Amino acid sequence: MYQSDPPLSAKEVLPTMYDLPSEDPEEPGLPDEFHLLQPRLLDETFRPPNYPSEQIFVASDLNLYYDVRHTLWYKRPDWFAVVGGERLYEQRDLRLSYVVWQEGVNPFIMVELLSPGTEKEDLGQTLRSVEQPPTKWQVYEQILRIPYYAIFDRYSHDFKMFKLDGGRYRAVELEDERFWIPELELGLGVWQGRYQDIEHSWLRWYDGAGNWMLTPAQQQEQRAQQQEQRAQQQEQRAQQQEQRAQQQEQRAEQEKQRAQQQEQRAEQEKQRAQQQEQRAEQEKQRAERLIAQLQLLGIEPDLD
């Protein structure tokens, strides 16, 4: 858990998210379509396995108030994530803004999407005027000390990752436009694919096996495919059981036929034996008649 600096005075006398504005009415324009879709994809695929969902908060284009001494100073990151805090404000409400002295937990990672108007500030290339609030880079690096800072250019598809090292951001070397964050058990990388029916290069989270984290729609589709596969497997098992039952029935019928054939052969053997016995009896009777006839003629047959 990454704690912010303790508040300088009691909670009751400091402005909360309900007191601080959620927007700057003088700031011109609204986020373009990419600035709406890209954070949504990051939201949908950010599921650190080592944090329960009630301890994960993600936001995009939300005012982030960072200095208890200047309560109206804020930055509005394109996307950021907080882990180890509370999903709901005081476990009960959706946030209007993120106020670090109220939350007690700083963001863990920031993502800025480069645009022509903010590119230099996002990359830490602007100088701070004495009368002006600190730049984004200064706030993320020196005030909030956010461990990871990612920058993505939608036009060049250039992805940069900075890690806080010795109180300063150091650019890290990326492998295949990917970077693994061990504290989250997740990695962030550039994925070329179709999201919301738009083919583009997107920042997306991936798991320890290197697989891109699925969106809820993809999870639902995967579950439907798994259910269909299970149904097909059950149908196959039922067919196999039916085939086995038919085979057993066929074997039983074949055994029955073999038993009948054996019974028929036994009956035939019995009949042949009876026929041989009858022929033997008939031969005996003929021999006796012949002997009797010879004896009537006065001829004594030689029986030896």
Side-chain angles (χ1 to χ4, degrees), residues 2-21 63-75 89-90 95 97-107 139 143-144:
Y2 291 80
Q3 302 288 343
S4 61
D5 293 332
L8 300 181
S9 56
K11 174 178 177 180
E12 288 74 12
V13 300
L14 291 172
T16 70
M17 76 160 190
Y18 299 108
D19 305 311
L20 294 169
N63 282 7
L64 172 68
Y65 293 88
Y66 56 88
D67 192 335
V68 70
R69 292 170 294 271
H70 301 85
T71 57
L72 294 182
W73 285 3
Y74 69 90
K75 298 301 176 186
Y89 179 69
E90 296 186 338
R95 290 175 175 82
S97 303
Y98 195 87
V99 184
V100 296
W101 60 82
Q102 286 283 303
E103 302 286 354
V105 183
N106 287 349
V139 171
I143 298 177
L144 296 180

Side-chain angles (χ1 to χ4, degrees), residues 5-204:
D5 293 332
L8 300 181
S9 56
K11 174 178 177 180
E12 288 74 12
V13 300
L14 291 172
T16 70
M17 76 160 190
Y18 299 108
D19 305 311
L20 294 169
S22 60
E23 295 180 3
D24 181 358
E26 297 181 0
E27 184 174 336
L30 293 171
D32 59 69
E33 191 174 14
F34 181 77
H35 278 70
L36 294 174
L37 293 179
Q38 174 63 89
R40 189 183 305 171
L41 178 59
L42 291 172
D43 286 352
E44 293 181 349
T45 58
F46 185 74
R47 293 188 299 277
N50 53 339
Y51 285 94
S53 59
E54 62 270 17
Q55 292 183 10
I56 299 172
F57 174 70
V58 296
S60 57
D61 201 39
L62 186 74
N63 282 7
L64 172 68
Y65 293 88
Y66 56 88
D67 192 335
V68 70
R69 292 170 294 271
H70 301 85
T71 57
L72 294 182
W73 285 3
Y74 69 90
K75 298 301 176 186
R76 192 183 298 173
D78 289 325
W79 188 89
F80 67 92
V82 182
V83 292
E86 295 179 356
R87 167 64 184 86
L88 297 175
Y89 179 69
E90 296 186 338
Q91 300 183 354
R92 63 183 175 85
D93 202 0
L94 297 174
R95 290 175 175 82
L96 302 175
S97 303
Y98 195 87
V99 184
V100 296
W101 60 82
Q102 286 283 303
E103 302 286 354
V105 183
N106 287 349
F108 186 79
I109 182 170
M110 288 290 187
V111 176
E112 292 291 352
L113 308 174
L114 292 187
S115 58
T118 64
E119 180 176 359
K120 289 186 176 181
E121 182 181 1
D122 291 342
L123 291 171
Q125 298 172 355
T126 55
L127 297 176
R128 175 189 179 185
S129 172
V130 177
E131 297 81 13
Q132 296 297 321
T135 64
K136 284 183 182 179
W137 186 281
Q138 291 171 321
V139 171
Y140 299 166
E141 177 191 63
Q142 300 171 24
I143 298 177
L144 296 180
R145 297 188 292 276
I146 296 170
Y148 295 96
Y149 178 33
I151 296 177
F152 184 59
D153 189 330
R154 60 173 292 195
Y155 301 104
S156 66
H157 309 156
D158 186 27
F159 171 41
K160 291 183 173 65
M161 176 65 80
F162 299 90
K163 182 179 179 181
L164 198 64
D165 182 12
R168 290 289 183 267
Y169 278 136
R170 310 290 182 189
V172 298
E173 185 175 349
L174 302 179
E175 184 176 350
D176 296 329
E177 295 186 306
R178 290 186 174 205
F179 181 74
W180 180 253
I181 303 177
E183 298 94 329
L184 297 176
E185 297 183 14
L186 283 178
L188 185 63
V190 179
W191 167 68
Q192 179 67 37
R194 180 172 292 274
Y195 177 66
Q196 297 292 322
D197 291 330
I198 299 173
E199 185 73 24
H200 204 275
S201 292
W202 309 89
L203 279 185
R204 184 169 183 164

